[in-house]
Amino acid sequence: MIKAYNKIERIKGSIAQVKAEGVFLGELAQIKMKNGGSTLAEVISFDDDRVNLQIYQGTMGVSTGDQTRFLGKPMQVRFGDSLLGRVFNGSGDPIDDGPEVMEESVDIGGPSFNPARRIIPRRMVKTNIPMIDMFNTLVISQKIPIFSIPGEPYNELLARIASQTDADIIILGGMGLKYDDYEFFHQYFTNSGAMEKTCMFVHTASDPVVECLLVPDMALAVAEEFAIQDKDVLVLLTDMTAFADAGKEISISMEMVPSNRGYPGSLYSDLAARYEKAVDIDGSGSITLIAVTTMPGDDVTHPVPDNTGYITEGQFYLHNGVIDPFGSLSRLKQQVMGKVTREDHGDLANAMIRLYADAKKARDRESMGFRLSEWDQKLIKFSVMFEDKMMDLSVNLDIEDQLVLGWEILADCFEYNETGIKNEWIQKYGKWSK
Amino acid sequence: MASEKTTGIIVAAQGNLLTVKFTGVIRQNELVFVKTGGQSLKGEVIEINGNLAKVQVFEPTRGVRYGDTVEFDEELLSVELGPGLLQSVYDGLQNPLEDVAQEAGYFLPRGLYLSPLDREKKWAFTPSAEVGDTVERASYLGSVPEGVIEHKIMVPFRFEGKGTITEMKSAGDYTIEEEIAKIKDENGKVHSVTMSQKWPSKFPLRFGKRKYPDKPMTTGCRIIDGPFPVAKGGTFCTPGPFGAGKTVLQHQISKNAEAQVVIVVACGERAGEVVEILREFPLLDDPQTGKKLMDRTCIICNTSSMPVAARESSVYVGATIGEYYRQMGLDTLLLADSTSRWAQALREMSGRLEEIPGEEAFPAYLASRIAEFYERAGLVQNSSGDIGSLTMGGAVSPAGGNFEEPVTQATLAVVGCFMGLSRSRSDARRYPAIDPLISWSKYFDRFRETGDEELKTMVQIIHMAQQILIESDEIGKKMSVVGEEGISLDDIVLFLKGEFYDSVLLQQNAFDKVDTTCDVHRQLELAEVVGEVLDKKFSFDTRDDARSYFVDLTNEIIQWNYTAKGDSSFKQQKGAILERIREDK
Ligand SMILES: Nc1ncnc2c1ncn2[C@@H]1O[C@H](COP(=O)(O)OP(=O)(O)OP(=O)(O)O)[C@@H](O)[C@H]1O
Ligand SMILES: [Mg+2]
């Protein structure tokens, strides 16, 4: 039996209050507006018969005389193969002019994966981007953000990673996206042929703020279903800072005590609940999660990147259009480096990073006008080659070729005994003429 | 128990905080079960006002309805204690996760509570007390072998006053539910005793005399055992920014610490990190017993996406289990990663209760809760004369890596040892990234007065080394301002000595199979070599000479650190190093 109520008692922020009986937490309601439109809402609390509803489309224009119907079910998302190639908003409605999706519904924000059922991830995700594959190897089931200042090409990077991996399914969750960004992803995936295996949930900057909060849950609920069906799913979430800001806006309008720069005390748990959906299921599929976290003012200690860093398994720093070799770290790389990839991988990568760090110092000396030693000059030559051939984001090479290229650069710039790499690898893989 | 249970109905709900209207008698912190949609969810009474109780639910509350029934359980949130705790993996409410997986598959369902201990398994019991013996709570009645330890079966901790054993089972195999003894109390009432019992997790479990912790609990980690040692029964904390190496350090300690029982509490951190322990420990050898590491380990795992309220409970469950084994006279170690997540759980609930917030919205009682928690550590002599210890170490994850925040500060006020991890050290890949210039240990000075000669020598050398490190750091700072040219050769040498000590002794490679742990004897051997270098007056001709001398020496010693003690070249390497040190320079 669906119950309907014809009076709204209070409206504030994104919350409306109605008097109703027998409702449950998380129950979905539909508010029919005077102008003919309707919006979904969710029960977030009740006190006696006073029920607080969070209205997905915002309370703008909601009238005290609008009708509320409780639907007797929680928020759900449709799931099935027909989602592929499609685009939805944060409430799960199609926004691509396609037909309604007729599939089974699944609850969003479902329970957590049992840690006892997790396995140690050991499968590499190839991206053909040297700063990832070679130096910060991505692993199936990893959760990792791109830390970026606004304005960096983070969406381009995401799109490229997605198109170049061999994921079975790509789910994009867009939060606070500019319309142009949304179009960009759509075009890019269409052109690269990836759109057929992609499903998008998009909240644009002009959409209601509550829908922004729903996007990751929608995207991850769908990803989870695919993963259980033996699919390797890549989830892209951009921009998680917009997600956190939406949470902040709503919690402030609900008069919750903020903990740090206006963000609610639950920020860590809220982010972790989403990121921890990343998983490699024993004998089945997986979810790998790459997010974007824009850093206001390029400040890593800002609550959003800070809390994110405490949750994720490393981070890619995007600085001046390249992935910074110093701040970036894949915490899972040791699971695959030299084990799944060629044996010299780890040592070669470490040596190159160490030399690049030395080269930076040599460049500093150069810019201060000091006289450069022969070694300094070798280092500087190396750093230029390293930046052009490996750091540049347009470089596109298979990991095997990246390793070969690495050895070639070293041979071009140094004598074999100047690299600090163990002799065994130099003999086997080095590019110095014997 | 037979009496009708108090019940109530839900009249208000927000997040996992419910308001329940009840009739009858209830207690503060009593357990409740919320009956909703065919499920039964655990919760706890946290506030009582008239006929309304506020209840915090340990599970997601989606679907909870106005009018749903709530049953009050009379019991407080408790831990089940008995043989079989080791090797287990529990969530923050002591739900066994392996069994839950058997029952429910991939995901953690709500409201499924399984028995923490195996009820069918038989344990080989040997009595140590006899009929007619006078006993009191925590007296030994006998023991069962549990993996590597002798698990003592004790008189229930809730037993009041003195009692007399009126029946005692003979040696044999029993389950934890079978009666093994009968004890008559002072009022003539006879109590049936089994091998398991319950204890409310928020009450300290400690019977006996407290002792002053003055013996080291070695960790195999040189920077800890040297300058920042931890005492058996002591406390320490490891605050640090994300990625500084807190978890890697805790894992290292959990593998190599000189403890008989290790409890790892993964509190609100990544599930993936627990999995490494789960999958590796059953395969790794315990350096002390030769058995598997898992045999001495109990894991409490309430990771970041698991319910927040149960996260709060997880550290207490861990502490109670640690205290239980301490009561048997064992050395136990509890590691919690991260106590900040526990503090955040307190903050979330406090916010929902609309309490007046303190700094960064943490509740005003944060500091006292932290103090109470670490107070559960300690060295205790039980009534049988055995001395057991519970050592506790907590990781702290300060916002922005800034130690001037409430959780770090409240923790620093109560622990005996502070190992501060710094971003600059982890960026420079100087692992473990414990900053030797800001960290301290109150136990260091205690160990100076010890009767143990090895320890005394160690303390002396480290004391000198730390002084040199401080001077070296000063010189380093000066050098970055005026350049190397402005520094005297003597000062350069002093600077290099500090760097040398840092590189060969303080730093340690967690991922090298030999260097990852270093036993105390080896630490002393190394410290003596290092001490000789630091003591020596060098007379180098040039700065470059000095520099290349120390670079070579450092490399040689690092190679030596990577060499297993049993390796044939171990002695020879040491000989070459000593020769180099003793030649004229
Ligand atoms: N002793 C070590 N030796 C080598 N590498 C280390 C060491 N400690 C840490 N690392 C590196 O730093 C990474 C992060 O370490 P860890 O996970 O322990 O950080 P954390 O302080 O626990 O971070 P968080 O607060 O985010 O949990 C590791 O994945 C590893 O690459
Ligand atoms: Mg950690």
Side-chain angles (χ1 to χ4, degrees):
Chain A
M1 184 199 64
I2 287 179
K3 293 156 284 184
Y5 299 87
N6 289 320
K7 179 147 190 270
I8 292 181
E9 307 276 336
R10 283 183 63 183
I11 300 176
K12 183 171 182 209
S14 58
I15 311 290
Q17 194 178 78
V18 291
K19 284 200 167 171
E21 273 162 14
V23 302
F24 63 84
L25 284 184
E27 181 166 358
L28 213 53
Q30 190 175 41
I31 297 185
K32 277 220 170 108
M33 313 234 242
K34 283 267 162 54
N35 63 13
S38 84
T39 169
L40 289 177
E42 182 181 325
V43 175
I44 55 163
S45 67
F46 59 79
D47 188 351
D48 255 329
D49 59 352
R50 292 180 299 278
V51 177
N52 287 319
L53 291 164
Q54 183 158 71
I55 304 199
Y56 290 170
Q57 312 262 294
T59 49
M60 175 110 65
V62 171
S63 134
T64 53
D66 286 350
Q67 189 196 54
T68 308
R69 294 164 67 234
F70 289 89
L71 305 180
K73 60 174 191 187
M75 185 60 185
Q76 293 176 315
V77 62
R78 297 204 180 270
F79 164 74
D81 284 344
S82 66
L83 265 68
L84 299 178
R86 302 293 310 274
V87 187
F88 306 90
N89 68 9
S91 297
D93 300 324
I95 50 171
D96 57 359
D97 305 325
E100 270 304 317
V101 177
M102 295 313 211
E103 299 270 9
E104 292 285 306
S105 293
V106 294
D107 289 0
I108 66 166
S112 329
F113 204 85
N114 188 335
R117 269 294 174 100
R118 285 183 182 254
I119 51 174
I120 298 182
R122 301 204 189 277
R123 290 190 285 155
M124 176 181 172
V125 180
K126 287 188 188 179
T127 67
N128 289 1
I129 299 171
M131 290 317 290
I132 297 179
D133 293 3
M134 175 111 163
F135 300 102
N136 296 293
T137 324
L138 189 64
V139 180
I140 287 267
S141 87
Q142 190 157 10
K143 42 188 179 288
I144 193 163
I146 299 169
F147 282 175
S148 168
I149 335 180
E152 292 281 341
Y154 49 83
N155 283 335
E156 285 77 357
L157 179 60
L158 265 194
R160 218 183 114 205
I161 295 173
S163 300
Q164 295 188 176
T165 61
D166 48 10
D168 298 323
I169 305 281
I170 298 167
I171 315 262
L172 176 98
M175 289 148 283
L177 277 193
K178 291 199 287 287
Y179 180 77
D180 295 1
D181 296 329
Y182 156 62
E183 267 302 315
F184 161 78
F185 277 113
H186 200 266
Q187 284 297 328
Y188 197 106
F189 288 153
T190 308
N191 294 340
S192 71
M195 196 62 206
E196 290 165 23
K197 57 171 183 178
T198 300
C199 160
M200 304 206 277
F201 291 90
V202 174
H203 163 268
T204 66
S206 56
D207 292 336
V209 62
V210 181
E211 283 193 348
C212 183
L213 282 186
L214 291 170
V215 165
D217 289 338
M218 293 276 185
L220 290 163
V222 170
E224 204 156 73
E225 293 295 327
F226 276 118
I228 289 170
Q229 298 188 355
D230 206 11
K231 297 280 195 288
D232 286 323
V233 186
L234 178 66
V235 176
L236 312 172
L237 297 176
T238 173
D239 163 2
M240 286 301 274
T241 305
F243 167 78
D245 287 344
K248 164 166 131 179
E249 187 178 328
I250 288 168
S251 72
I252 287 180
S253 77
M254 287 162 65
E255 293 172 0
M256 295 192 331
V257 184
S259 66
N260 205 337
R261 295 201 227 179
Y263 290 93
S266 61
L267 178 63
Y268 174 86
S269 302
D270 295 340
L271 290 171
R274 277 78 193 188
Y275 280 113
E276 283 279 316
K277 290 279 178 196
V279 66
D280 189 358
I281 305 175
D282 202 2
S284 189
S286 65
I287 299 177
T288 306
L289 204 167
I290 307 179
V292 167
T293 300
T294 50
M295 299 185 288
D298 199 13
D299 174 13
V300 219
T301 67
H302 180 279
V304 181
D306 185 49
N307 277 285
T308 304
Y310 277 119
I311 293 163
T312 52
E313 291 154 336
Q315 63 280 328
F316 300 129
Y317 269 95
L318 196 57
H319 266 167
N320 304 324
V322 293
I323 296 177
D324 186 327
F326 302 128
S328 303
L329 171 73
S330 159
R331 296 204 199 177
L332 299 187
K333 68 179 174 197
Q334 53 260 37
Q335 310 288 9
V336 295
M337 265 190 174
K339 294 177 182 162
V340 178
T341 59
R342 212 169 70 186
E343 55 188 357
D344 56 324
H345 181 175
D347 288 339
L348 175 63
N350 285 339
M352 291 186 84
I353 293 292
R354 204 178 53 239
L355 289 165
Y356 185 67
D358 290 344
K360 279 259 169 182
K361 290 187 201 139
R363 277 185 167 176
D364 288 347
R365 285 195 283 277
E366 184 181 38
S367 67
M368 291 196 293
F370 288 160
R371 206 178 60 84
L372 296 179
S373 65
E374 202 182 321
W375 175 243
D376 285 339
Q377 299 193 348
K378 284 184 176 185
L379 286 170
I380 291 173
K381 176 179 175 194
F382 167 73
S383 71
V384 173
M385 286 185 81
F386 184 75
E387 286 170 10
D388 289 351
K389 299 194 164 196
M390 302 215 96
M391 272 171 70
D392 192 314
L393 276 184
S394 65
V395 178
N396 195 358
L397 284 175
D398 189 78
I399 176 71
E400 293 288 322
D401 297 331
Q402 294 174 25
L403 293 170
V404 171
L405 176 64
W407 283 108
E408 282 171 0
I409 295 176
L410 289 180
D412 255 0
C413 302
F414 305 104
E415 297 302 325
Y416 71 89
N417 58 359
E418 290 172 335
T419 57
I421 302 179
K422 72 172 159 188
N423 277 332
E424 194 187 342
W425 305 151
I426 291 183
Q427 302 282 336
K428 230 166 147 177
Y429 305 105
K431 296 289 171 195
W432 289 272
S433 44
K434 302 272 149 45
Chain B
M1 283 285 166
S3 65
E4 277 286 291
K5 284 194 171 153
T6 304
T7 59
I9 60 157
I10 296 173
V11 294
Q14 187 213 341
N16 70 332
L17 180 68
L18 309 181
T19 308
V20 180
K21 193 182 201 170
F22 66 95
T23 38
V25 178
I26 65 169
R27 325 158 62 178
Q28 173 74 331
N29 296 109
E30 170 168 359
L31 272 188
V32 305
F33 288 91
V34 178
K35 308 284 178 190
T36 186
Q39 289 176 319
S40 179
L41 313 180
K42 239 185 216 179
E44 180 187 27
V45 175
I46 52 175
E47 206 179 289
I48 306 172
N49 186 1
N51 63 347
L52 294 179
K54 293 239 161 102
V55 162
Q56 114 165 303
V57 183
F58 296 116
E59 304 265 15
T61 47
R62 192 182 343 189
V64 163
R65 252 177 227 280
Y66 180 92
D68 279 345
T69 309
V70 174
E71 265 179 30
F72 292 81
D73 191 64
E74 290 175 32
E75 290 281 332
L76 302 183
L77 187 63
S78 297
V79 182
E80 184 167 51
L81 301 168
L85 289 166
L86 299 181
Q87 297 192 34
S88 295
V89 184
Y90 296 122
D91 74 1
L93 300 173
Q94 214 197 358
N95 218 3
L97 290 175
E98 295 282 1
D99 296 347
V100 171
Q102 295 281 329
E103 190 111 336
Y106 292 138
F107 295 95
L108 292 171
R110 290 197 307 191
L112 177 66
Y113 306 114
L114 301 175
S115 164
L117 297 174
D118 190 332
R119 302 204 121 45
E120 254 105 75
K121 182 170 172 160
K122 299 236 179 202
W123 297 89
F125 174 70
T126 313
S128 62
E130 291 172 7
V131 171
D133 283 0
T134 305
V135 291
E136 57 187 8
R137 59 167 60 139
S139 299
Y140 297 160
L141 294 172
S143 66
V144 302
E146 180 185 14
V148 287
I149 64 152
E150 272 292 288
H151 186 120
K152 297 282 196 289
I153 306 300
M154 295 172 269
V155 174
F157 305 132
R158 296 198 219 181
F159 189 86
E160 303 273 349
K162 299 266 182 230
T164 313
I165 301 180
T166 56
E167 258 179 59
M168 192 75 211
K169 284 276 162 62
S170 51
D173 293 348
Y174 304 95
T175 70
I176 56 163
E177 286 185 319
E178 285 176 76
E179 180 182 279
I180 52 124
K182 278 198 166 78
I183 301 175
K184 188 156 81 183
D185 69 16
E186 286 163 351
N187 303 321
K189 189 170 166 223
V190 176
H191 301 255
S192 167
V193 177
T194 66
M195 296 201 280
S196 66
Q197 56 174 316
K198 285 189 171 178
W199 183 259
S201 61
K202 287 187 181 165
F203 287 80
L205 190 168
R206 184 178 59 230
F207 305 105
K209 270 204 297 288
R210 282 193 85 156
K211 296 248 165 190
Y212 187 65
D214 61 354
K215 296 214 169 37
M217 188 213 55
T218 58
T219 62
C221 195
R222 291 188 292 262
I223 192 171
I224 299 179
D225 299 346
F228 311 113
V230 179
K232 279 198 175 121
T235 52
F236 64 99
C237 69
T238 52
F242 68 77
K246 300 179 292 294
T247 305
V248 170
L249 183 66
Q250 280 211 350
H251 284 194
Q252 241 179 311
I253 297 175
S254 66
K255 287 177 191 162
N256 303 309
E258 195 192 354
Q260 289 157 296
V261 170
V262 177
I263 295 139
V264 177
V265 184
C267 171
E269 293 284 308
R270 303 170 188 82
E273 294 170 344
V274 187
V275 178
E276 284 178 28
I277 301 185
L278 286 182
R279 300 283 169 258
E280 281 180 2
F281 276 31
L283 308 174
L284 292 175
D285 292 329
D286 176 354
Q288 272 137 48
T289 61
K291 292 276 177 58
K292 295 297 173 217
L293 269 180
M294 200 63 193
D295 292 346
R296 67 166 197 182
T297 310
C298 172
I299 300 170
I300 317 288
C301 156
N302 214 95
T303 53
S304 57
S305 63
M306 290 162 73
V308 176
R311 190 197 290 170
E312 199 247 333
S313 153
S314 66
V315 297
Y316 296 107
V317 171
T320 309
I321 294 174
E323 289 167 329
Y324 175 62
Y325 282 101
R326 172 178 67 188
Q327 199 60 42
M328 304 174 197
L330 299 173
D331 290 322
T332 65
L333 168 68
L334 173 120
L335 296 165
D337 186 5
S338 149
T339 57
S340 295
R341 307 301 164 219
W342 161 58
Q344 287 174 344
L346 289 180
R347 175 167 72 185
E348 283 186 34
M349 194 27 78
S350 164
R352 264 183 222 119
L353 289 170
E354 295 174 3
E355 293 171 340
I356 296 167
E359 219 183 317
E360 289 182 24
F362 283 108
Y365 46 81
L366 175 73
S368 61
R369 289 286 166 84
I370 290 176
E372 280 162 25
F373 175 63
Y374 282 104
E375 259 309 285
R376 297 180 72 162
L379 202 61
V380 174
Q381 183 164 35
N382 65 22
S383 58
S384 309
D386 292 335
I387 298 180
S389 64
L390 171 59
T391 310
M392 296 186 10
V396 186
S397 316
N402 179 1
F403 294 166
E404 301 298 318
E405 56 89 43
V407 183
T408 313
Q409 289 304 313
T411 307
L412 286 182
V414 295
V415 294
C417 175
F418 158 57
M419 306 165 195
L421 282 79
S422 79
R423 169 71 73 222
S424 61
R425 274 183 84 85
S426 69
D427 275 352
R429 303 284 184 265
R430 293 184 173 212
Y431 292 117
I434 296 171
D435 189 332
L437 294 171
I438 60 167
S439 302
W440 45 258
S441 166
K442 294 180 181 167
Y443 307 112
F444 188 79
D445 284 333
R446 285 190 200 176
F447 298 159
R448 296 180 109 170
E449 287 130 39
T450 156
D452 179 338
E453 284 308 315
E454 280 202 353
L455 186 57
K456 222 174 202 163
T457 317
M458 182 82 184
V459 169
Q460 273 161 7
I461 298 172
I462 297 291
H463 183 74
M464 163 184 71
Q466 284 292 113
Q467 297 307 317
I468 289 177
L469 193 69
I470 294 169
E471 291 176 52
S472 164
D473 179 64
E474 290 297 323
I475 297 167
K477 280 188 195 135
K478 207 154 95 190
M479 204 148 59
S480 66
V481 181
V482 300
E484 213 170 277
E485 288 68 29
I487 309 281
S488 71
L489 182 54
D490 282 352
D491 276 359
I492 296 269
V493 172
L494 197 52
F495 169 75
L496 292 170
K497 280 180 170 177
E499 286 286 298
F500 164 78
Y501 161 61
D502 188 350
S503 311
V504 305
L505 197 142
L506 299 182
Q507 291 172 42
Q508 197 171 349
N509 187 344
F511 297 128
D512 180 84
K513 64 179 188 305
V514 174
D515 200 31
T516 185
T517 178
C518 187
D519 66 59
V520 274
H521 307 297
R522 185 166 180 167
Q523 287 190 29
L524 182 65
E525 205 171 341
L526 174 64
E528 282 172 340
V529 171
V530 171
E532 204 168 323
V533 176
L534 299 183
D535 248 348
K536 182 169 165 147
K537 291 230 175 314
F538 291 95
S539 45
F540 294 107
D541 294 333
T542 65
R543 297 185 166 90
D544 281 348
D545 280 356
R547 211 173 263 285
S548 69
Y549 176 84
F550 276 102
V551 167
D552 288 350
L553 189 61
T554 302
N555 277 336
E556 258 180 81
I557 298 188
I558 290 177
Q559 290 310 320
W560 186 45
N561 284 342
Y562 287 169
T563 308
K565 236 176 166 174
D567 208 291
S568 54
S569 69
F570 183 84
K571 279 229 163 66
Q572 180 199 330
Q573 285 185 38
K574 183 179 177 184
I577 291 165
L578 287 177
E579 203 169 300
R580 183 189 277 274
I581 297 172
R582 288 167 189 169
E583 76 198 16
D584 264 341
K585 264 286 174 207

